[in-house]
Amino acid sequence: MADIPAAGTVPEMRRDEELTTADGRPLRVALRRSQRQLRRRAFYLVAPLLVFLLVTFGWPIANMIAGSVYNPEVAHFLPLTSSAISDWDGEDVPGEDVFAAMAMDMESGLANRTIGRAAGRINREIPGARSLVMGTARDLEDMQPPYREAFLAEDERWGDLEFWRLIKRETRIVTPAYYLLALDFEYNSRGEIVERPEIYQVYRQLFWRTAWMSLTITALCVLLGYPVAHLLATLPLKTSNVLMILVLLPFWTSLLVRTSAWIVLLQQQGVINDLLVWANIIDASGRIRMIYNQTGTIIAMTHILLPFMILPLYSVMKTIPPSYMRAARSLGATQFTAFTKVYMPLTIPGVAAGVLLVFILAIGYYITPALVGGESGIFISNLIAQNMQGTSAQLKLASALATILLVGVLFFYWLFNKLIGVDRLKFG
Amino acid sequence: MPEASTRQSDPGAASYVRFEGVQKSYDGETLVVKDLNLDIARGEFLTMLGPSGSGKTTCLMMLAGFESTTHGAIYLHDQRIDNVPPHKRGIGMVFQNYALFPHMTVRENLAFPLKVRGMGRSDIETRVKRALEMVELPNFGDRRPAQLSGGQQQRVAVARALVFEPDLVLMDEPLGALDKQLREQMQFEIKHIHESLGVTVVYVTHDQTEALTMSDRVAVFNDGVIKQLSTPDVLYEEPANAFVAQFIGENNRLYGEVVEAGDAGSAVTVRLDSGQHVKALPVAVSGARGERTTLSLRPERVKVNPPEGSVPNVLEGKVAEVIYLGDHIRTRFSVAGHDDFVVKIPNAAEHPRMHEGDMVKLGWAIEDCRALDA
Amino acid sequence: MKRKTLLLAAAAVLPAAAAVAQEGSLTIVSWGGAYSMSQQKAYHEPYTDKTGTRILTQDESANALAGIRSQVDAGNVTWDVVDMLQADAQRACDEGLIMQIPHDEWLAEAPDGTPPSDDFIEGTLGECFIPQILYATMFAYNEEAFPDGGPQTVADIWDLEAFPGTRSLQKIPQKNLEWALIADGVPGDEVYDVLATQEGQDRAFAKLDEIKDNVIWWSEGAQPPQMLADKEAVIATAYNGRIFNAQVSEDQPFQIMWDGQMFEVDGWVVPVEKSDEQLELIKDYLYFATDTQRLADQAKYIPYAPARQSSVPMVSTHEETGVEMQPHMPTTEKNFQNAVQFNTDFWADYGDLLEERFNAWLAQ
């Protein structure tokens, strides 16, 4: 126990008696002041990055999350209707006051071109409502009060209780409706949350598929990357450098080019099928479909993400001295035992870093599944992208889906931290 | 090959580890180990000593099984082992940087060799406990190697190499990473363990003090061959060649050629390059006239201003430097054209202090002046 | 191709920039590729020559709706004129992102004095939309795959025994559902009425189910001709311009099956929040670029039909190859017989719902 200082070498200190500097200031204060200066300088150094991150990262994400619940269309663009309908009991077609308010909202909405946004919002849940509202709004100048009768004469759908209940429900500024949709739920006409009909259910399935395919890809990356990284770490420098370039080469090639190369290789009239036919392993009519499905996505993405597994693994393996394996062998372990009991546990920080990188990258992948995934191999991000190009309601749905994905990734990160400890990871 | 088989079935009874004509080459062009023949007795503490690149570590690795032999055979316990994989050789090994598994606790490290041997849980527990007590770390079982000091790690490494009770333990510069004080302590402890357990130890080091203090015998390696294999005292006092004389301990060298062989090989007369004649004990010279030789002389065997006629060899020397070292005074002289002639003068009453520039007479006995290879 | 476009753009822009920097400039957004080049030749270059106004082009039409929305939301609208599909224009118009356009006030009359609102083909004008071309999406096939003759009707597409092989369809519900109903016997002019009902939708999806296992899906316009050329698919839906290119420029043995072609309109929109000054410039450009001659000129470069009736007789030959363009126009009598107009209003109402159902159906 020579490491522990002998008792008495540390001067004893009484808590209540504060130490002071030479000029009489409390030592604690002086220390804090000198450190504050250092901290401030450090802050100035990172400030540009911080601002950059806030502008390019924090702000858009906050915007996205806000957009996924923001629901101003009914309240803002049908203001009179919104207040008139608040007293409605929802049991019978609303009275003239609501219809008259609707007519006035339409009039002003036509003038300042906001009626379409309200109509679009309602249409999101009642298809056809858009043309109903727009059509009636255009015909409004030919109508006379009482509007209840006039509207019902124009189109009987104005007597639809579901329509009015929706308006009443969606007068709120913040709505969970898009999150419900994103999880394949919806409001029924009574305002209860129910599962959507099966023919419309897609998002949960896609989330689930994205997760398990990403896991499969991650597992394949570990299986393929581990031996390569081991080779890289143990080969003589000259050989390993050549191998390292081969590993890095994909990094320097455009993602699109790599994905297209896989199409050329894997398609039914592609190189691999041609070879198999030529070698008489399959006949020409039995060409294997390896692309435009899950297989294609898994193959192409495993290839593309492999370097992200190999590099952290390599950097960890490089630091494991060969003497550990030798020690294990000299202690009586077979090559296999030495590998599994000594070498592999030591590579866990690298495996974990690789898994974290590959899985998180995979779960948000977009281009490759879009090009080679066909219909069964696409990811949730493909639907997010598709919805982003659509109507504003679809954009909000995309925001909700993206937020759920983000939360999912954060959850995975948290879980990972719990299980492995992120501070133990070695990224390279 | 009847001859070979006889040799195999007839190893020296006293030999426990035996290298037989072992050669090793990495590149197929140069030999790192040249025709090594070595017998190690059971219970012996044998040290392989030599500068880096002399082949000592390669020999150890071949014995452990981590390097293959290019030619020759290695026997352990009368069994040829150079084709046996390392984990089946049953040899304990302590590595240069300990190679304690960082992801296991001390206890798990110690239990590892027992576990892979399929030993029962309670057996393992008692053995690990005993091993920890042996290295005086009974309460450190739950720590990780990183939480131990260098010396503690060293002890655990020794304990791990011994816990499965091998008859042979190899140590590859185990104390290299420790500071001087700790190293000396550990030398003592390892020696103590060796004596109390009676295991055979093959120890590799480039530190001659370590070799001399711990070993039963030392094999001095240079350039892939054993230059001398002897007990420490013989090695120091009777170096067989210039390399050993130079490598072990401090050594003054004078160069010259044999001018006259003495009677019955008891002494030769050597004319130094500076012209003086010196009588020396022929060790590695044939005694032929004109043969080049290196005379080796330990600094503590040189007498300053010896009484007239008490020693056969007397040369004039001029004090070049005086270094006070407490128990002795290290004095450097210019003698016979060399200005690196060192004499250790005991700090005793009969020796007067000397000063730079003083001229003194330096003398020595014939048997302290060994005529070695050039 | 791309380099050519760049050179042309540079040639157009450089002298103009030098001559009339203070004349102002227009940022025009379009689809890129051959289509943008046809506009460059037929509209932009003559306009710059005439007025000196610089025209900056951006190839962003694929993201036009999202792009305009984010510019309007951010209060910084940099796009002046945007080339857009009619369906997207409808959505943008509903959301108030683009200007309403008084066609007779802004646009040129036909040479015979017909007002624009009568000259443009019926059903193509939109509240916020100036039509430019009609293009068709229809089935095309590789002749080599069908030595005895390819499919002749939409119903043939569903006949896997007579016409075996992989079909390639666009990965959207639009048009595919219509064709499914037509193949199931619904007359072209009733398709949207049927599709507006739950039963009609079920029927369309059920019909698609019949060929689902023989379909690969495309998402970029360049994919179907490539798939036909690679024989990854023997029949594909495609834009008629893409197939024309493959036939004429690449000599591919492709045939267009005009039966059941769905034609759609592509045209100009103007984002809101333009300054009066800029708006005058925009109006001037649109007056020029959408007149009878200009629309007819565009057909020299790409086989899309001009949206003005008065332009149709003026369509001549392909500038590059000299091919007579009339037979390749979707509006030519022979090609137009069983044409179905893509109903943007229907899809504005049912798009969200049917896209979701389509995705769910795909994912099953």
Side-chain angles (χ1 to χ4, degrees), chain A residues 49-347:
Chain A
L49 179 67
L50 208 63
V51 171
F52 178 79
L53 284 181
L54 271 178
V55 170
T56 61
F57 209 64
W59 174 245
I61 287 179
N63 240 341
M64 175 187 81
I65 294 172
S68 65
V69 293
Y70 187 47
N71 185 45
E73 289 88 355
V74 175
H76 288 182
F77 305 134
L78 298 173
L80 301 173
T81 315
S82 295
S83 61
I85 208 168
S86 62
D87 296 332
W88 179 54
D89 62 1
E91 291 307 321
D92 207 350
V93 180
E96 171 64 17
D97 57 333
V98 176
F99 277 94
M102 177 62 89
M104 284 164 79
D105 281 335
M106 281 176 171
E107 202 180 342
S108 55
L110 264 185
N112 49 31
R113 304 195 56 210
T114 52
I115 189 67
R117 297 182 65 178
R121 173 66 188 91
I122 301 164
N123 193 75
R124 163 67 252 189
E125 285 167 59
I126 305 175
R130 188 196 71 92
S131 46
L132 173 66
V133 173
M134 299 300 280
T136 306
R138 282 191 200 101
D139 295 343
L140 198 62
E141 47 191 345
D142 303 330
M143 292 186 191
Q144 302 296 324
Y147 286 108
R148 192 169 187 265
E149 280 67 36
F151 273 38
L152 287 168
E154 167 91 8
D155 196 311
E156 60 190 12
R157 282 180 291 172
W158 284 109
D160 189 353
L161 287 185
E162 200 187 331
F163 177 88
W164 294 106
R165 284 183 187 141
L166 175 70
I167 290 186
K168 186 176 161 90
R169 191 177 77 227
E170 294 307 328
T171 50
R172 54 189 168 178
I173 294 291
V174 170
T175 181
Y178 301 105
Y179 283 94
L180 293 181
L181 278 178
L183 295 169
D184 294 331
F185 287 93
E186 65 183 0
Y187 287 107
N188 65 10
S189 64
R190 309 239 109 243
E192 294 148 345
I193 293 170
V194 292
E195 242 187 355
R196 303 191 77 187
E198 209 169 318
I199 49 169
Y200 298 112
Q201 286 184 19
V202 61
Y203 299 114
R204 265 183 300 177
Q205 189 191 345
L206 257 288
F207 275 120
W208 172 240
R209 180 200 288 166
T210 304
W212 80 255
M213 280 181 70
S214 298
L215 275 179
T216 308
I217 288 160
T218 311
L220 281 173
C221 281
V222 174
L223 280 180
L224 295 172
Y226 202 93
V228 176
H230 182 68
L231 212 59
L232 275 171
T234 48
L235 279 179
L237 201 63
K238 216 194 236 171
T239 332
S240 73
N241 272 345
V242 175
L243 203 61
M244 185 56 119
I245 288 174
L246 291 181
V247 169
L248 288 177
L249 209 59
F251 263 144
W252 303 328
T253 320
S254 127
L255 185 64
L256 270 174
V257 171
R258 275 182 282 163
T259 305
S260 309
W262 277 113
I263 296 176
V264 172
L265 281 174
L266 296 179
Q267 64 185 357
Q268 281 192 304
Q269 305 295 326
V271 177
I272 291 177
N273 266 309
D274 284 350
L275 277 176
L276 290 176
V277 170
W278 175 78
N280 275 326
I281 294 170
I282 55 173
D283 65 63
S285 60
R287 285 171 175 261
I288 306 164
R289 175 160 296 298
M290 289 177 283
I291 206 159
Y292 306 124
N293 55 21
Q294 289 174 357
T295 318
T297 304
I298 289 173
I299 292 175
M301 281 184 61
T302 301
H303 166 247
I304 286 162
L305 294 174
L306 201 51
F308 292 98
M309 183 62 78
I310 292 176
L311 291 180
L313 271 177
Y314 165 77
S315 79
V316 167
M317 287 174 174
K318 197 78 188 161
T319 63
I320 300 174
S323 65
Y324 286 142
M325 282 291 277
R326 289 182 163 183
R329 301 269 282 146
S330 80
L331 292 170
T334 58
Q335 189 86 41
F336 179 76
T337 315
F339 190 79
T340 52
K341 290 278 159 49
V342 176
Y343 194 81
M344 286 212 326
L346 290 176
T347 59

Side-chain angles (χ1 to χ4, degrees), chain B residues 336-356:
Chain B
H338 301 277
D339 60 359
D340 57 353
F341 194 95
V342 172
V343 180
K344 288 181 184 169
I345 303 167
N347 190 1
E350 69 262 29
H351 293 287
R353 281 288 172 86
M354 273 172 295
H355 304 282
E356 234 181 278

Side-chain angles (χ1 to χ4, degrees), chain C residues 86-293:
Chain C
Q86 197 180 14
D88 282 343
Q90 177 92 58
R91 290 171 167 179
C93 192
D94 282 355
E95 291 183 28
L97 300 171
I98 52 178
M99 303 183 96
Q100 287 163 313
I101 291 169
H103 299 94
D104 288 341
E105 194 181 309
W106 281 24
L107 305 178
E109 292 172 348
D112 62 3
T114 315
S117 49
D118 290 332
D119 193 26
F120 280 98
I121 293 169
E122 199 191 333
T124 60
L125 283 176
E127 203 184 337
C128 306
F129 181 75
I130 307 167
Q132 208 182 131
I133 51 121
L134 269 69
Y135 72 95
T137 314
M138 72 293 132
F139 290 93
Y141 57 89
N142 191 324
E143 284 176 337
E144 288 170 0
F146 305 108
D148 305 330
Q152 296 306 314
T153 65
V154 177
D156 286 351
I157 305 296
W158 262 255
D159 189 344
L160 291 166
E161 271 173 36
F163 305 98
T166 305
R167 280 86 170 124
S168 177
L169 305 181
Q170 190 173 6
K171 206 196 286 181
I172 52 170
Q174 286 85 351
K175 300 167 207 168
N176 289 327
L177 293 177
E178 287 93 316
W179 279 317
L181 287 180
I182 291 171
D184 209 29
V186 176
D189 53 359
E190 289 171 25
V191 159
Y192 286 103
D193 295 335
V194 175
L195 206 51
T197 64
Q198 181 76 44
E199 300 75 45
Q201 292 163 13
D202 292 348
R203 189 173 162 191
F205 278 104
K207 191 71 183 173
L208 277 178
D209 267 334
E210 291 176 14
I211 56 166
K212 189 179 184 187
D213 291 342
N214 290 284
V215 171
I216 52 177
W217 304 90
W218 59 267
S219 47
E220 305 291 333
Q223 282 176 297
Q226 190 61 48
M227 286 169 165
L228 285 178
D230 289 350
K231 299 213 178 74
E232 274 300 286
V234 294
I235 303 171
T237 61
Y239 304 132
N240 71 302
R242 298 274 188 179
I243 298 298
F244 172 84
N245 257 344
Q247 288 170 324
V248 172
S249 308
E250 294 165 27
D251 264 338
Q252 292 283 2
F254 297 166
Q255 271 299 336
I256 286 178
M257 184 194 90
W258 287 105
D259 184 62
Q261 62 141 308
M262 297 208 57
F263 68 94
E264 212 175 328
V265 186
D266 185 84
W268 299 119
V269 301
V270 181
V272 294
E273 291 175 24
K274 288 284 147 203
S275 68
D276 290 345
E277 203 181 334
Q278 193 68 5
L279 190 57
E280 283 312 310
L281 203 55
I282 291 168
K283 278 157 76 174
D284 190 56
Y285 171 80
L286 287 175
Y287 183 90
F288 174 82
T290 61
D291 70 15
T292 301
Q293 184 61 48

